[in-house]
Every structure is written in C-alpha cells, then in structure tokens.
Amino acid sequence: MAIQANGTNIVEEFMKGAKKGFYIGVEMIAPAMVMAYALIEFLNITGLMPIIGKVLNPVMGIFGLPGEATVALLAAFFAKAAGCAAAATLYTAGKIDAAQATILFPACVTMGTLVGHFARIVLVSNANKKFYPVLFAAPIVDAVMVMFLTRLVLVFF
C-alpha cells in the first residue's frame, strides 16, 4: 500500500473522502431535494401553482419559460439541489420541456444557495455593509444572463 507523506495510505484517504461525500449527500443535498418536492407539492395541492404560473408567465416568458418555472428559481435561492430538483420535478410533471429544463439548470446552479452562501460567507467575513446589495444581486444577475445565453445557444441547436 502506498504511504503518503502525511503517513496515511491511499485507501484511508479514499475512505475519508467517501465518508465526507456521503455526509454531504445525506445532510445537505437530500434535505434540499425533499424541500423542493415538498414546495412543489404544496403549491400544487393549495392551487397556488397555476396562479404563480399565470402571474409570472410574462416575466418568465422573456427567457422562454412558463411562469411555473419560477418555483425552481425560488427553490434554488435556498439550495442549488432544491432548484435543480424542482426543475426536474416540473419536467417530469410535463410543466416544462427538455429545452426549458436546460435553461433552468445553469440558472439554478449559478444563483443556487444564495441565502446560505450570503450568511456563511458575506456575513461571517464582516464585509462592508454598503456592498451587501451588490454581493446579493450579483448571482441573480448572473442567473438572468445565463438564462438568456442558454436560450440563445438553444436557438442554434
């Protein structure tokens, strides 16, 4: 067995990484996915999903998306995995097609976990408060840009 400079072997390092990956999946990704499914089911059961779709359809139409796609972006606001899971759920429910899911996924990843990252990074780092709005808005602007670019790319393919 190859011993590394810090005295551990490759198998031990692999097992540490596997355990860390398992806990990230169980403690962070799975709850976010459950939250996304629960959010969409709540909106469907309460009848809010068609209302959201109708109200936000003009705004989301700019990106080639139905108004219901807002739910994926809202879920991504709290967790990337939740946004992606919400988009996948919308796709499997037939509310968006594959091209629309393709537009949503990079936006969910770009601005995903915005609330958590803002709290864990910006607030903890004692960044100057006058930059908070910019630091908070930058990922949202990035998400808007990536939705436009993805839509543009899909026009050619």
Side-chain angles (χ1 to χ4, degrees), residues 65 69 72-73 76 80-92 96-112 143 146-147 150:
L65 299 169
L73 297 175
K80 290 176 190 171
C84 292
T89 302
L90 291 171
Y91 175 73
T92 56
I96 61 173
D97 60 24
Q100 293 167 328
T102 304
I103 293 170
L104 271 177
F105 281 128
C108 290
V109 171
T110 302
M111 77 166 194
V146 79
M147 285 193 295
T150 305

Side-chain angles (χ1 to χ4, degrees), residues 9-61:
N9 66 40
I10 290 173
V11 174
E12 290 173 357
E13 288 298 318
F14 174 80
M15 293 306 291
K16 276 193 221 173
K19 283 180 184 176
K20 191 174 180 180
F22 176 78
Y23 288 119
I24 287 172
V26 170
E27 294 177 357
M28 298 172 83
I29 295 173
M33 293 177 74
V34 170
M35 182 186 83
Y37 294 127
L39 175 66
I40 289 176
E41 284 305 312
F42 172 78
L43 293 173
N44 281 328
I45 290 169
T46 59
L48 291 172
M49 183 68 92
I51 295 169
I52 290 171
K54 188 173 182 177
V55 169
L56 296 173
N57 201 38
V59 174
M60 296 306 286

